[in-house]
Amino acid sequence: MEKADSSRRSSRNQPNPLPVLAILAKDVGELATNEKQVFSPILKLWHPFAAGVAVATLHACYGNELKQFVLGITELTPDAVQVLRAADKLEKDLVQIAVEDSVDSDDGGKAIIREMPPFEAEAAIANLVKVWIKTRVDRLKEWVDRNLQQEVWNPQANQEGYAPSAVEVLRMVDETLDAYFQLPIPMHPALLPDLMAGLDRCLQCTVGTKFQGVWKKKDKAVNSQRRNSQVATMNGDNSFGIPQLCVRINTLHRIRSDFESVEKRIIIHLRNSESAQAEDFSNGLGKKFELAPAACLEGVQQISEAVAYKIIFHDLSHVLWDGLYVGEPSSSRIEPFLLALEQVLTVVSDTVHERVRTRVIADVMKASFDGFLLVLLAGGPSRAFARQDSQIIEDDFKSLKDLFWANGDGLPTDLINKFSNTAREVLPLFRTETESLIERFRRLTLETYGSSAKSRLPLPPTSGQWSPTEPNTLLRVLCYRNDEAASKFLKKAYNLPKKL
């Protein structure tokens, strides 16, 4: 018994033995070499291509055994790879012997080669690797889905303000690539595009459905909840608050930034690969992420825009939509909105990564300009503007722009000018005389609708683009003009009441 135990312990300390079929391949190869060197020269007296016939026979015998082995393989294992690589080497040796032996034949040995149907060992290895790739990618996706569902998007999780799950995602990608290049296979460069495509699709879906998936849900908040939601949002008390959404932006930026580092490590792996050729480094095809970086960039853009409009039209609606210019414009000016907006901008600036900060702040600026114009042109019956109010409006808009300029420490002047262009064109309408507005409206309407508008002015539809040359914009300025001439025109042309 002690001897048996000792024997078992000894066997465990020995290197793993070669699989039987790998040993057989080696033995068959030696037998073929011996046949060629010893027996074939004699047998040529009776058959001109004795060596070719012999290796074709050996090829068929080993092929039968290999076929049964391949049918039983379900996953990529070191034993399976050893057998298949040994079979591939054996086949190449046997074919070489057959070709050399038949060099003087009329067909150059083609008849003998036709009697040696390929083992297709490399194809078998490739199929096993593809199964391995699918398994690893599926495992990665399952892990990512599970961990991202538990992510709380805490701005204090680390110094750079991104989700810890992003680091884990990238670590899993690295581990998958390391494991791939450690596989004992002869075709790492050839199958790398399969792995990269799988990882790319997995990360693309992850980015689209998890990191930015919040926007798939409808915002069901009602007006009565807005004040409370603003407090929660600024304090970071909910997973969809401004700080948490900024963490999502940071996280997508971090993932996108790390793709280049991953791709550089892939090149290093390829250089160490036994089968790498010069052409494997000449282009980036199959070695780069294609879908995921674009998805990250799109995600940053979408969340940034959504954050901006959430701030302006939801979180600050009580001071913008419910407050600005309600009643008497001179007593309901923009200062409360600016104070609240400045607090939010501080939170955003402190949370968003500096590389994407300008984008997010610019989106907030654009949304605030849109909100300002919406108050002026679609603010409802609680608002009306006399011509003398135009100076108040222009001064308030300048204050809004100055908030983003921040005495030169904020956004660049050219960016502010770009996004404020529509407002700069529309605001002069509020100081234009009513009769001039009516005349311009008539002329533009006739130009748009032709002679059919002469008998009765049609009601121009909302185009979605405010402009001093767009009839609907002019009509809205007239609708909110607080004077008798505008009211008479609207009553006569469209039977509209004095207040809409």
Side-chain angles (χ1 to χ4, degrees), residues 464-485:
Q465 300 292 328
W466 307 131
S467 168
T469 59
E470 193 254 343
N472 186 269
T473 302
L474 291 168
L475 180 60
R476 286 173 178 273
V477 174
L478 287 169
C479 286
Y480 289 101
R481 175 60 57 90
N482 188 11
D483 71 15
E484 192 65 26

Side-chain angles (χ1 to χ4, degrees), residues 139-170:
R139 190 185 306 167
L140 173 64
K141 188 175 187 307
E142 180 183 343
W143 183 94
V144 168
D145 288 349
R146 184 173 63 250
N147 280 269
L148 287 185
Q149 286 171 2
Q150 301 168 3
E151 185 59 71
V152 295
W153 311 103
N154 178 12
Q156 281 78 46
N158 50 56
Q159 192 172 2
E160 294 184 37
Y162 55 80
S165 54
V167 179
E168 291 301 304
V169 168
L170 294 166

Side-chain angles (χ1 to χ4, degrees), residues 323-336 384-386 388-393 396:
L324 182 61
Y325 304 141
V326 170
E328 183 61 41
S330 61
S331 59
S332 53
R333 295 185 63 176
I334 203 170
E335 283 80 6
F385 305 98
Q388 57 266 32
D389 294 326
S390 62
Q391 191 60 52
I392 291 174
I393 294 171
D396 282 354

Side-chain angles (χ1 to χ4, degrees), residues 4-63:
D5 289 342
S6 175
S7 174
R8 278 196 294 270
R9 285 195 298 271
S10 176
S11 66
R12 283 198 295 268
N13 294 330
Q14 298 297 319
N16 290 332
L18 284 172
V20 173
L21 271 184
I23 297 173
L24 181 59
K26 184 172 179 293
D27 291 345
V28 171
E30 291 175 353
L31 179 60
T33 301
N34 194 46
E35 171 71 28
K36 173 188 173 184
Q37 294 174 348
V38 178
F39 298 103
S40 292
I42 300 171
L43 294 174
K44 269 186 176 291
L45 297 172
W46 291 275
H47 196 294
F49 311 119
V53 173
V55 295
T57 304
L58 291 172
H59 184 277
C61 293
Y62 186 84

